[in-house]
Amino acid sequence: MNDLATYNFAYLDEQTKRMIRRAILKAIAIPGYQVPFASREMPMPYGWGTGGVQVTASILGPDDVLKVIDQGADDTTNAVSIRAFFQKVANVAVTTKTVEATIIQTRHRIPEEPLKEGQTLVYQVPIPEPLRFLEPRETETRKMHALEEYGLMHVKLYEDISRNGHIATTYAYPVKVEGRYVMDPSPTPKFDNPKMHMSEALQLFGAGREKRIYAVPPFTEVVSLDFEDHPFEIQTFEKPCALCGAENVYLDEVVLDDRGGRMFVCSDTDHCEDRRAHGHAGSMLASTQHQRKEPAE
Amino acid sequence: MGTQSQIYAGAFADPVFAAQSVFRTLMDSFARPGTIGRLSTQSSPPSPLGNASGAVALTLCDQDTAVWLSPALAKSAVSQWIAFHTGACVTEAKDEARFAFFEKGAAVPGFDQFALGTQEYPDRSTTLVVEVEALTGGQPLVARGPGIKTEIVVAPKGLPDVFLDFWTANRAIFPRGIDLVLTAEDSVLCLPRTTKLERE
Ligand SMILES: [Zn+2]
C-alpha cells in the first residue's frame, strides 16, 4: 500500500467537494458575487493558497493538465509545493506551459499568453472583499453589495488622485463585473486587469481563510473602476524584457550584483522561456552571448 | 424490477470519478450557457426521472440540500432513490428546496414559488432540474449574457408556453433568481440567471 491509497482522490472528501462544487455553480451564475462556503483545513497553512487549492481539488479530474504559478513563476516554493501536492493526491499531469494546461492555479499573475476556451484559471485569494478596508463589518459590506452602494470605493480612489495626482493602487485594483458587483481581482498587478475582460477562459477565485468563492465566466465584462478625468491605465515599462525582448508584458526587477546592477525580466517565466526558445533575445542575453564569444576572438 | 431493487440500484458505478466528470460538464455548461453538454457517465434512476437528471442529483445533492420533487416524481420510487443514494431529504416546501426536479412533460410552476435568494445572499436559491423532450428542435430563442460571446440560439423542445415569461421575470430580479438545468437523455443545457432570452 502506498500513501496515495489513504487519500480520497484530490485529497478532499466527496461531501466537501460537493459543497464546493455547488458554490462554484452559484458563483458562475452570479458573476463577481462572493459565495460563502465551509472552508476545510488543508495540509498547508493559510497564505499558501488553501482557497485556490480547495477549488482546484473540487474541479480536477484524471484528464486534466495542471499548471501552478506564483508571481508568474512555476518554480517558486509555493508553486512547486502545490504542484507536488496534486501530483501526490490526484496523480494529475502537470506542465509549466500555459498552452498545455487545462487548469492553471495562480497567485498574483495572469499568464501573458491569452487563455483559451476550455481552460480554467483558479486564483488564490487572501482578502476577497474589495470593500473590507473601507468597512470592516461583514454585515455592512454585504449590504453595500446588495444595494450596489459603491460610492465609498470611488471616494477612496479619488482620494488617491488628490493625494498623488493619479490612482496609486497598483495591486488588487477593484473591478466591476458585468455592470453589477465590485470585485477584488486578488493581488494581481493592475497590468493584468484587462486580461480578465471578455476572457475565453473561466476564472474562479478561492479564499480559504475568508471562506469565499467567486467567479467570472468566459466572455464577461470586467471593467476597472476609474473616472472620466482619470481613466484607468496599466503600468508601462521603459524597456523590453532583458532576456527575451518582450514588450507589453509585466516585468520584475532582478538585482544582478551588489554594485546596483539590475535588469527587468518577464514575470511570466513560461512566456519568457517560450520566446527565447523561439529565438527572441533581449539586451542582457545578447550581451552575455557577445561577452562569451570575445575570448575566442 | 421491484420497487425495492429500483431504490437501491442505478447509482454511479464509480462515484468519485463519475461525480467529477458530471460536475465538470455542469460547470462548463453553466459557464457557457446554451451549449449542450453530454454526460459521460450514466445513472439509472427509477422512472419517471431521466438518466441525466438522476446524474445531476447524484452529483450535487446530499444531506445539506433539501430537494423538491414534482408530484409525479414524489409519488414514484424516485423520492426514496434520491434519499437513499444522496442523503438529501425531500421537502414539500418549494421555497426551502436547493434543488427541484421535474420529469418530462411535468407542469412547471412559476419560478417565484421557489427560493430566489435574498439581495444579501442571492446564492440561497433553488436550482431547477427540468427534463424536456429534447434540447434542440423547439422554439428558437436567442440567448445573450455572461459566458456567451455574442449570442447563441437555444431551442429546447417541450418547455411550457409560459416559460419565456417566467424566465424574463426571473432575469428581472437579478442578482436573485433561480438557475436552470435542462436535461434530455444523456445531455444538459444550463441557463444561469444571467442569461437573457428573446424570441428570434
Ligand atoms: Zn522575457
Side-chain angles (χ1 to χ4, degrees):
Chain A
M1 281 302 241
N2 63 26
D3 276 359
L4 268 176
T6 62
Y7 293 103
N8 194 13
F9 176 77
Y11 188 80
L12 294 174
D13 62 272
E14 290 305 295
Q15 195 189 339
T16 298
K17 284 186 204 163
R18 257 193 314 274
M19 177 263 299
I20 293 173
R21 287 168 180 167
R22 290 194 296 261
I24 290 171
L25 297 185
K26 295 286 189 190
I28 293 170
I30 317 167
Y33 165 74
Q34 301 163 50
V35 183
F37 80 110
S39 181
R40 291 288 188 264
E41 289 294 325
M42 296 301 285
M44 56 194 76
Y46 288 123
W48 277 66
T50 56
V53 168
Q54 289 178 80
V55 168
T56 298
S58 301
I59 67 174
L60 191 70
D63 300 333
D64 278 308
V65 180
L66 178 69
K67 171 180 164 80
V68 183
I69 47 171
D70 176 19
Q71 314 267 9
D74 299 85
D75 58 0
T76 65
T77 314
N78 187 301
V80 169
S81 306
I82 291 171
R83 197 164 53 235
F85 172 74
F86 281 113
Q87 282 180 292
K88 184 177 174 194
V89 300
N91 196 23
V92 69
V94 296
T95 185
T96 59
K97 297 199 186 315
T98 299
V99 291
E100 288 175 0
T102 56
I103 299 173
I104 302 170
Q105 182 170 326
T106 182
R107 175 174 177 262
H108 291 192
R109 277 309 311 279
I110 299 174
E112 304 290 359
E113 176 79 30
L115 298 180
K116 292 276 185 298
E117 181 174 340
Q119 292 186 304
T120 302
L121 187 58
V122 178
Y123 297 74
Q124 302 170 200
V125 183
I127 301 165
E129 179 49 74
L131 308 169
R132 182 64 68 233
F133 65 99
L134 301 168
E135 170 54 64
R137 288 167 298 180
E138 169 71 14
T139 48
E140 292 302 309
T141 53
R142 214 155 255 285
K143 232 176 263 169
M144 290 159 79
H145 285 295
L147 301 169
E148 282 188 86
E149 270 182 17
Y150 296 128
L152 266 182
M153 179 60 93
H154 283 275
V155 169
K156 144 82 172 94
L157 290 175
Y158 214 86
E159 278 171 4
D160 252 25
I161 296 172
S162 46
R163 203 176 305 128
N164 310 297
H166 60 95
I167 298 175
T169 305
T170 54
Y171 284 85
Y173 189 105
V175 294
K176 198 169 212 185
V177 180
E178 204 60 27
R180 179 56 179 82
Y181 284 99
V182 167
M183 188 188 91
D184 185 326
S186 87
T188 46
K190 67 176 181 177
F191 180 89
D192 286 338
N193 278 18
K195 294 177 187 161
M196 307 180 76
H197 177 65
M198 296 301 276
S199 171
E200 288 183 29
L202 169 63
Q203 303 173 74
L204 301 176
F205 301 77
R209 190 178 43 218
E210 305 251 343
K211 304 178 173 62
R212 296 287 182 274
I213 287 171
Y214 50 102
V216 175
F219 304 117
T220 296
E221 204 179 89
V222 179
V223 178
S224 302
L225 301 185
D226 66 356
F227 302 91
E228 249 173 57
D229 49 345
H230 288 273
F232 171 79
E233 282 174 351
I234 60 169
Q235 295 99 323
T236 54
F237 299 89
E238 284 173 17
K239 287 183 188 169
C241 170
L243 295 177
C244 78
E247 293 179 44
N248 306 316
V249 296
Y250 194 76
L251 301 179
D252 283 336
E253 187 177 352
V254 177
V255 176
L256 292 172
D257 52 45
D258 53 9
R259 300 185 307 275
R262 56 188 197 146
M263 63 174 180
F264 286 88
V265 299
C266 290
S267 122
D268 183 336
T269 52
D270 167 61
H271 184 72
C272 199
E273 280 161 24
D274 187 58
R275 280 180 54 85
R276 277 179 276 152
H278 284 84
H280 297 278
S283 58
M284 191 58 74
L285 207 59
S287 66
T288 45
Q289 279 167 353
H290 181 66
Q291 280 162 11
R292 273 195 216 112
K293 273 184 213 152
E294 272 177 348
E297 282 170 2
Chain B
M1 205 165 21
T3 307
Q4 285 305 313
S5 52
Q6 279 183 35
I7 291 166
Y8 300 126
F12 292 141
D14 188 349
V16 171
F17 292 105
Q20 188 277 332
S21 163
V22 171
F23 167 71
R24 276 294 276 278
T25 305
L26 289 169
M27 183 178 92
D28 290 344
S29 302
F30 267 115
R32 292 178 172 77
T35 58
I36 292 172
R38 195 157 171 227
L39 305 181
S40 60
T41 320
Q42 291 288 318
S43 72
S44 312
S47 170
L49 190 69
N51 290 352
S53 295
V56 173
L58 295 173
T59 300
L60 296 177
C61 298
D62 60 25
Q63 54 270 40
D64 296 331
T65 60
V67 165
W68 181 89
L69 298 174
S70 71
L73 291 176
K75 267 189 296 186
S76 72
V78 169
S79 178
Q80 284 166 284
W81 185 81
I82 286 186
F84 178 75
H85 291 289
T86 74
C89 71
V90 175
T91 177
E92 287 179 11
K94 296 187 188 76
D95 59 355
E96 284 173 12
R98 305 315 292 264
F99 292 92
F101 290 87
F102 299 83
E103 80 282 7
K104 200 190 293 182
V108 178
F111 296 153
D112 58 0
Q113 296 183 33
F114 294 92
L116 302 171
T118 63
Q119 205 66 18
E120 275 85 9
Y121 292 96
D123 57 303
R124 294 179 181 172
S125 56
T126 311
T127 299
L128 272 61
V129 183
V130 179
E131 185 174 0
V132 294
E133 220 174 297
L135 296 177
T136 57
Q139 158 95 54
L141 300 168
V142 180
R144 292 185 187 85
I148 304 168
K149 191 173 185 179
T150 50
E151 56 181 52
I152 184 169
V153 174
V154 299
K157 195 175 178 183
L159 280 172
D161 292 338
V162 290
F163 168 75
L164 192 56
D165 294 336
F166 284 175
W167 189 256
T168 306
N170 188 61
R171 183 67 193 79
I173 59 166
F174 185 84
R176 299 161 68 225
I178 60 114
D179 304 307
L180 185 59
V181 181
L182 298 176
T183 70
E185 294 177 6
D186 61 351
S187 297
V188 295
L189 186 159
C190 297
L191 296 174
R193 65 194 76 179
T194 47
T195 304
K196 299 180 189 80
L197 293 176
E198 281 174 347
R199 285 214 172 79
E200 217 177 8

